[in-house]
Amino acid sequence: DQQVKQNSPSLSVQEGRISILNCDYTNSMFDYFLWYKKYPAEGPTFLISISSIKDKNEDGRFTVFLNKSAKHLSLHIVPSQPGDSAVYFCAASDNAGNMLTFGGGTRLMVKP
Amino acid sequence: DTEVTQTPKHLVMGMTNKKSLKCEQHMGHRAMYWYKQKAKKPPELMFVYSYEKLSINESVPSRFSPECPNSSLLNLHLHALQPEDSALYLCASRSTLDGITLHFGNGTRLTVT
C-alpha cells in the first residue's frame, strides 16, 4: 500500500507559467514533508520542505503548501523555466526522521 | 560542503563476481543510507546506519552486505547478484540541522550480467 502518492506521472508547462505538482499521503504519523528534484543519471537533490505545524513554505520560485486535513501537499514553481524539467519526488517522514517514504514521482517538462 | 560522493559511477558485474560500492561524506552527518532505484520508480530504502551501527535493514537479501567503517564512509558489498538487482544504488546522509533532510550522492549505476 503506497503511503505517499503522486497521481500525475507527468506534467507539461509553458516557460514562464506556473507548475503545480501534487502529492497525497495516507499516514497520519507523517510530520515532515520534502520535495526532491532528480535529473537523469544524478541523485535526488533536495528542494524544499515543510513541517506539519506550517501550511506554507516559500523559497524563491518554489512554494510548498500543506493541507493536513486533506493529507495533501503541492509544490508551486513560478515562473517555470526549462531548467526545471526533471522528475520531482515528494517524500514524507515522521518526526523521528529515521526514513523517508517517497512518492512515485512526476516528470515535469517545461517548454520554451 | 553538502556533497555525498559515490564510487564507481558505473559498474558491470557477472553473477559470480564480488564487488563493492563506496560512499563518502564529510558533513559530519551521523546517519547514512543505502537506497535502490529502478527505472521510473521511487528510491526504495535498503539500509540505515546511525552512529556507525546498522539500525534499519529493510529485509534486503544477504547477497547485499553493508558496512560502515567510520562515520564518513559507507560501503555496500555485493556477491552473487541476480540480473534483477540491476539498478541505480543511491547513498544518502541525514542532515544534523533538521534531523530529517537526506542529501544524496549521484549513485552507482549497476548492471548485473
Side-chain angles (χ1 to χ4, degrees), chain A residues 32 34 36 38 41-44 46 89 93-100 102-104, chain B residues 33 35 37 41-43 45 48 56 58 88 90 94 98-102 104-106:
Chain A
Y32 205 80
L34 306 90
Y36 283 84
K38 187 177 185 301
E42 292 185 11
F46 169 69
F89 289 100
S93 172
D94 61 18
N95 59 14
N98 286 323
M99 54 187 287
L100 290 184
F102 284 86
Chain B
Y33 298 66
Y35 278 83
Q37 186 177 24
K41 297 287 187 184
L45 182 65
V48 181
I56 296 177
E58 290 287 290
L88 181 68
L90 294 162
R94 190 171 78 210
D98 60 16
I100 303 284
T101 304
L102 297 188
F104 286 87
N106 282 331

Side-chain angles (χ1 to χ4, degrees), chain A:
Chain A
D1 180 32
Q2 271 190 291
Q3 298 187 67
V4 180
K5 288 185 184 179
Q6 293 176 254
N7 290 320
S8 298
S10 65
L11 174 67
S12 183
V13 170
Q14 205 66 36
E15 181 180 5
R17 305 296 288 268
I18 185 171
S19 295
I20 300 176
L21 296 98
N22 293 305
C23 178
D24 296 295
Y25 62 96
T26 56
N27 190 337
S28 303
M29 298 301 291
F30 288 146
D31 218 29
Y32 205 80
F33 304 89
L34 306 90
W35 284 94
Y36 283 84
K37 176 169 78 171
K38 187 177 185 301
Y39 294 119
E42 292 185 11
T45 303
F46 169 69
L47 264 181
I48 191 168
S49 62
I50 188 166
S51 162
S52 61
I53 61 172
K54 293 185 171 184
D55 55 16
K56 178 182 173 181
N57 190 24
E58 203 168 344
D59 184 1
R61 296 185 299 115
F62 302 92
T63 303
V64 56
F65 295 92
L66 175 63
N67 183 333
K68 277 194 73 176
S69 59
K71 292 191 176 69
H72 176 84
L73 61 152
S74 60
L75 174 68
H76 293 208
I77 307 174
V78 167
S80 301
Q81 301 173 352
D84 296 329
S85 298
V87 177
Y88 288 77
F89 289 100
C90 166
S93 172
D94 61 18
N95 59 14
N98 286 323
M99 54 187 287
L100 290 184
T101 302
F102 284 86
T106 296
R107 179 175 301 279
L108 174 66
M109 292 162 284
V110 181
K111 298 178 181 178

